[in-house]
Amino acid sequence: MSAVEDVVTEAPAVEAVPKRAMTLGTGTSLIMLGLLLLIPLFVKNFIIFQMTMLLIYGVAVLALNILTGGSGQFSLGQSAFYAVGAYTSAILMEQFNVNYALTLPIAGVICFGFGFLFGQPALRLSGVYLALATFALATAMPQLLKLGFFEKWTGGVQGLVVTKPDAPFGLPISQDMWLYYFTLAITIAIYVFSVNLLRSRSGRAFMAIRDNEIAASAMGVDVALYKTLAFGVSAGITGVAGGLGAIAVQFVAPDSYTITLAISLFLGMVVGGVGWLPGSIVGSAFIIFVPNIAEGISKGLSGAVFGVLLFLVIFLVPHGARQVAIVGQQLIGRFKKNS
Amino acid sequence: MELFTNQILAGIATGAIYACMALAVVMIYQAIDHLNFAQGEMAMFSTFVSWQLMQWGVPYWGAFVLTLAFSFAGGIAIERLLFKPLAKAPILTNVAGFIALFAIINSVAGLIWDFTIKQYPTPFGSSPFLGSQLISTHQAGMIGVTVLLLMGLYFFFQFTRIGLAMRAAASVPESARLVGINTSWMIALGWGMAAAIGSIAGMLIAPVVFLEPNMMGGVLIYGFAAAVLGGLTSPLGAVIGGFLVGIFENLAGTYIPGVGNELKLPIALALIITVLVVKPAGLFGRPIVKRV
């Protein structure tokens, strides 16, 4: 029943992450890149497909990370942006015969606009209220997609089937492998873009808002602009991931984009470490593989196993994969000193 | 005109469900300053416990009281074990914790009682109330219980020492601690009470929506909408918000063309967003003043 809140003394909603701790060193990045480039050459098509999904969800988690880890705003509604991106790609490809690669930037731009607009009302909300509003958006999205009014384009409840693209220039690789490398290229581009964004003037503005909104505005940061901008960028990237997802899964339907997806992405971010961009891929692996593992441990209790694992992460490694990485780094450092 | 009155009556009847849930939501928000996304699942679990007790031959009101005690203890246990250590953690971590709790309870309930739909008895009977086809005695009873609960809470918070202590702990924790209030246990008590109110809501709702592990999904969202509309800081607001959401939902379904059953959910959500944007404190909540 408190009517007065101390803003300056109260802890921020998201813990501050120093800018340098947000990325990996050059060496580690190159090793990761090498692995991602080489592994698909030696595994079966199904695993390549799973790796493609890993990258796609990784991009979506990264987008949320920019919003939450960067500017300190919550979102439980990323599935809505993902859905808009997926539908934009699918509709452009199937109804208007646009090339699949061209649909992605369009999906990104449309989602950027959508996110920017949604950011306007979200401006007045913070913390729990924002989580609630975005939660509402995510729950409403499947029903909006089912509307009879849009059925001509969206295919209603049935959804749309998307054709998988062939490798171009007659390259002798399978569709799955082509799609993987295509996704990888886009993922790398988005990753580099995000890292640079957070290092730029805008990125500093995001972080200033995250750490203390009032101080940031006192220093001349246009809080409203940068908060909506963060929403827009995050939604845009999620939209590209959604478009890629539609192409990879070859199918879009309203019920693929429920609140469950939004929650998964949120959990992926928590597990990967909030504000640590490379953690996005770890988080994405968690949301893709752990439900399967949980089901393997006990079929009926998969939800419980999932929840318990999540609690373990919260209690043992509250900073997610970032913490594990830092501990690992220190161990290696000590090992080097001793030898 | 008759259609209009009937729709309002029907709206009040469904609104009673939302009002109950919203009351539980507001209770816990008061105690811990977070929205508990697992609230609905906790209520569902309690309802299953009462159902199980009745299967074992305990009479309705006996099961009712036992369930209340169980939920109260369970709420406190969850707080002590899982959320007390997170009290100082960022909101983000807490939200993740609620989601984990949601998954665990939902899955455990599904394992123990499986996912088939079960009938749930009502103590009020289900004949038409005062000759009206739209509102049954059960729904009338539900409204009655909600109002009683609200009055009980009001007296508890206004006129008992422990109610006063809880209010103090929620509004100015530091000062409350200085005058000797054990704020940490007040939070646990808040969890216990919210769980107990949730279980009452669950037991009242179950005869209407039937008992199954996912029964609370939609109800919780409407409960949130109601709590936000009435103001998250006001129990009275939550109850009024619940009835308003119920009425609004029914009227929108009847009079706005194109809004069938399919669109009812987005309507509730549009309502949440509109309220949050236009009047973030809700109808009866107190706006939070920020001190720099």
Side-chain angles (χ1 to χ4, degrees), chain B residues 234-245:
Chain B
S234 157
L236 176 67
V239 170
I240 296 177
F243 288 120
L244 285 179
V245 168

Side-chain angles (χ1 to χ4, degrees), chain A residues 12-15 63-78 81 118-119 122 125-135 137 210 227 230-231 234 266 269-270 274, chain B residues 34 37 89-96 99:
Chain A
V14 178
E15 228 165 310
L64 181 58
N65 229 334
I66 292 177
L67 183 69
T68 308
S71 81
Q73 301 181 88
F74 285 109
S75 173
L76 285 174
Q78 294 301 96
F81 303 128
F118 188 79
L125 312 171
S126 60
V128 189
Y129 291 96
L130 189 58
L132 192 63
T134 50
F135 181 76
L137 178 70
R210 174 195 69 195
K227 274 184 142 180
F231 245 103
S234 170
F266 179 81
M269 178 185 63
V270 173
V274 179
Chain B
H34 296 311
F37 284 90
I91 299 179
L92 190 91
T93 316
N94 276 287
V95 173
I99 291 169

